[in-house]
């Protein structure tokens, strides 16, 4: 008999809150259950009265939070007897779709914007056997084509426009509340196509309605400066940023992201590529957590707010620290080229004891 494991994925864990029935085949890679890590260095920067936590979503099976939504989308595609799925992707959606499609025995078709995808992610989709086509255009153009094709042919769209994706992704907010025993006061996250901020906000509201938490967090979203349509108030035709996962000029869930911002009393702001790279290196060097650049937008945003005195203005009761959870959406190994660009090559030394001791200061 198959051995039951402690954590069998987000559908098994949060069935009660998800649109599944006894008839839904559960397609899973045991995603979710990612660590919520206390960040001592960052807490020190924000100052007394605040605790910073990192929700390390890069530890999902394919290396990003997309797996939470994909387990739902692919399970429902199976239930509906679909035999192919399709998505446009900045990389992580395709990696996830390809892996879950394998488990379900579905064909997976991926459109990527030509030349704008981190190699690590592309290799994932390919090694899982997806049909990958590079479109000579940006993400938004690729998504328009996918919408068109999936509307006309019996192929299931698995971008975050697929409502099941949002349903699965909201389980991350449940996990945060379950870990902390309450909702955090603030949640900081990157915003690209804006499905994830939509999902978290939905999750928090549902948990509050269920009486699992007493209050809701303020949602603090960050776009990259060269791809900040929500901040600017108009679509960006040629989005540019090194954070490829949030290089999106016309977010599918634009309005829902604004709702999350406004209903929660939060904000959506932007950070420059320089701020993202600084945060990317700081997180690795000071907290021991390696993420891809888009995820570092969370930390860049946190530091930007801190510099502006955002947290200083907030009154904190003596015995009760305020909790800030930063969502780290994807793993650093997704984008090895960026890491290699950000480091110095190791120094070459003679194979002699004295040479090494001299270098390490002994
Ligand atoms: C998809 C993705 C994002 C952006 O999420 P949206 O739901 O599109 O806003 C951010 N970071 C990583 C690593 C991603 O894969």
């Amino acid at each position: 008999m198959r051995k039951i494991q402690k954590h069998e994925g987000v559908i098994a864990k949060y069935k009660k809150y998800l649109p599944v029935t006894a008839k839904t085949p559960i397609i899973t890679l045991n995603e979710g259950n990612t660590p919520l890590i206390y960040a001592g260095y960052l807490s020190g920067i924000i100052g007394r009265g605040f605790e910073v936590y990192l929700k390390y979503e890069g530890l999902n099976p394919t290396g990003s939070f997309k797996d939470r939504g994909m387990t739902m989308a692919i399970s429902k595609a199976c239930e509906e007897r679909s035999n192919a799925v399709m998505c446009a992707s900045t990389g992580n959606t395709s990696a996830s779709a390809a892996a879950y499609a394998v488990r379900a025995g579905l064909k997976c078709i991926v459109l990527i914007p030509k030349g704008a995808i981190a190699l690590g992610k592309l290799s994932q989709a390919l090694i899982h056997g997806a049909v990958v086509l590079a479109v000579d255009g940006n993400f938004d153009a690729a998504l328009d084509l996918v919408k068109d094709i999936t509307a006309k042919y019996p192929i299931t769209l698995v971008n975050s426009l697929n409502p099941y994706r949002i349903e699965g992704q909201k389980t991350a907010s449940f996990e945060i509340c379950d870990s902390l025993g309450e909702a955090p006061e603030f949640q900081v996250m990157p915003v690209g196509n804006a499905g994830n901020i939509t999902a978290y906000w939905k999750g928090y509201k549902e948990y509050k309605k269920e009486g699992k938490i007493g209050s809701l967090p303020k949602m603090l979203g960050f776009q990259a400066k060269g791809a900040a349509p929500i901040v600017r108030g108009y679509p960006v035709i040629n989005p540019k940023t090194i954070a490829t996962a949030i290089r999106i000029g016309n977010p599918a869930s634009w309005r829902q992201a604004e709702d999350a911002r406004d209903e929660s009393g939060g904000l959506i702001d932007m950070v420059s590529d320089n701020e993202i790279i600084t945060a990317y290196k700081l997180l690795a060097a000071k907290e021991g957590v390696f993420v891809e650049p888009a995820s570092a937008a969370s930390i860049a945003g946190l530091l930007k707010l801190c510099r502006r005195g955002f947290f200083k203005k907030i009154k904190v009761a003596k015995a009760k620290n305020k909790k800030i959870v930063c969502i780290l959406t994807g793993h650093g190994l997704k984008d090895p080229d960026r890491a290699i660009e950000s480091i110095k090559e190791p120094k070459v030394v003679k194979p002699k004891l004295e040479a090494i001791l001299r270098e390490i200061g002994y």
Side-chain angles (χ1 to χ4, degrees):
M1 217 177 91
R2 192 165 66 97
K3 219 171 159 181
I4 301 296
Q5 298 177 13
K6 268 216 172 99
H7 178 81
E8 289 211 63
V10 298
I11 298 180
K13 176 95 194 273
Y14 294 111
K15 215 179 272 158
K16 192 180 143 196
Y17 301 94
L18 296 170
V20 291
T21 66
K23 277 196 230 121
T24 313
I26 298 179
I27 308 299
T28 183
L29 282 162
N30 298 15
E31 62 295 312
N33 198 24
T34 56
L36 186 67
I37 306 166
Y38 175 68
Y41 183 82
L42 289 169
S43 298
I45 291 182
I46 305 305
R48 203 194 305 234
F50 292 92
E51 290 168 20
V52 179
Y53 293 85
L54 309 170
K55 181 67 170 163
Y56 196 11
E57 288 288 281
L59 292 191
N60 275 295
T62 76
S64 85
F65 74 84
K66 299 296 198 296
D67 295 340
R68 292 180 185 276
M70 209 53 76
T71 183
M72 270 302 306
I74 301 283
S75 295
K76 293 306 277 191
C78 268
E79 185 177 352
E80 288 153 15
R81 307 219 178 276
S82 174
N83 48 35
V85 297
M86 187 172 189
C87 63
S89 179
T90 58
N92 286 332
T93 296
S94 63
S96 187
Y100 283 80
V102 165
R103 295 193 68 84
L106 301 178
K107 181 173 180 175
C108 178
I109 309 148
V110 175
L111 298 191
I112 57 165
K114 187 183 141 208
I117 287 212
L119 222 53
K121 304 175 185 179
L122 188 54
S123 58
Q124 283 181 286
L126 291 166
I127 205 133
H128 289 305
V131 177
V132 180
L133 301 170
V135 177
D136 201 355
N138 62 22
F139 171 83
D140 306 287
L143 182 57
D144 283 342
L145 286 162
V146 170
K147 283 198 265 185
D148 220 21
I149 292 166
T150 52
K152 287 184 189 135
Y153 296 89
I155 305 175
T156 305
L157 173 146
V158 291
N159 279 100
S160 58
L161 290 163
N162 178 323
Y164 299 124
R165 282 273 312 277
I166 305 285
E167 290 300 312
Q169 283 172 212
K170 79 187 178 192
T171 58
S173 56
F174 298 163
E175 286 180 13
I176 290 170
C177 298
D178 290 347
S179 300
L180 295 176
E182 60 188 336
E185 273 78 16
F186 300 97
Q187 175 170 309
V188 192
M189 66 191 303
V191 176
N193 217 17
N196 211 27
I197 190 169
T198 303
Y200 271 96
W201 184 236
K202 185 168 197 286
Y204 283 121
K205 284 195 295 188
E206 287 182 14
Y207 244 32
K208 176 141 189 287
K209 209 166 163 196
E210 286 282 317
K212 290 264 193 183
I213 51 175
S215 59
L216 294 167
K218 292 193 184 338
M219 304 294 282
L220 313 175
F222 287 90
Q223 300 196 290
K225 208 168 189 175
I230 300 176
V231 182
R232 298 184 191 280
Y234 52 85
V236 175
I237 306 301
N238 268 316
K240 283 196 181 66
T241 168
I242 50 120
T244 49
I246 52 171
R247 188 175 161 184
I248 286 167
N250 192 11
S253 303
W254 188 322
R255 189 183 50 74
Q256 292 90 326
E258 289 181 337
D259 288 349
R261 175 194 66 194
D262 299 340
E263 289 171 26
S264 74
L267 56 85
I268 296 178
D269 197 353
M270 56 188 174
V271 286
S272 69
D273 279 6
N274 270 339
E275 289 172 306
I276 289 173
I277 287 297
T278 302
Y280 169 78
K281 291 186 187 169
L282 179 138
L283 198 56
K286 299 293 188 189
E287 298 288 3
V289 178
F290 185 32
V291 300
E292 64 167 285
S295 312
S298 288
I299 305 305
L302 176 79
L303 296 173
K304 180 176 180 179
L305 291 178
C306 183
R307 281 197 306 276
R308 296 222 167 141
F310 178 88
F311 298 106
K312 281 226 169 72
K313 284 184 227 147
I314 291 155
K315 278 214 180 71
V316 187
K318 256 212 181 97
K320 184 117 177 37
N321 283 350
K322 294 210 185 285
K323 297 186 174 70
I324 307 169
V325 172
C326 301
I327 312 301
L328 302 179
T329 46
H331 201 288
L333 293 173
K334 288 277 194 174
D335 195 352
D337 294 346
R338 182 62 53 192
I340 292 160
E341 272 170 34
S342 310
I343 47 117
K344 276 202 242 92
E345 289 223 11
K347 189 166 177 179
V348 178
V349 292
K350 294 225 164 64
K352 293 271 191 260
L353 188 70
E354 312 84 74
I356 291 166
L357 289 177
R358 198 180 319 123
E359 289 299 332
I360 62 178
Y362 284 89

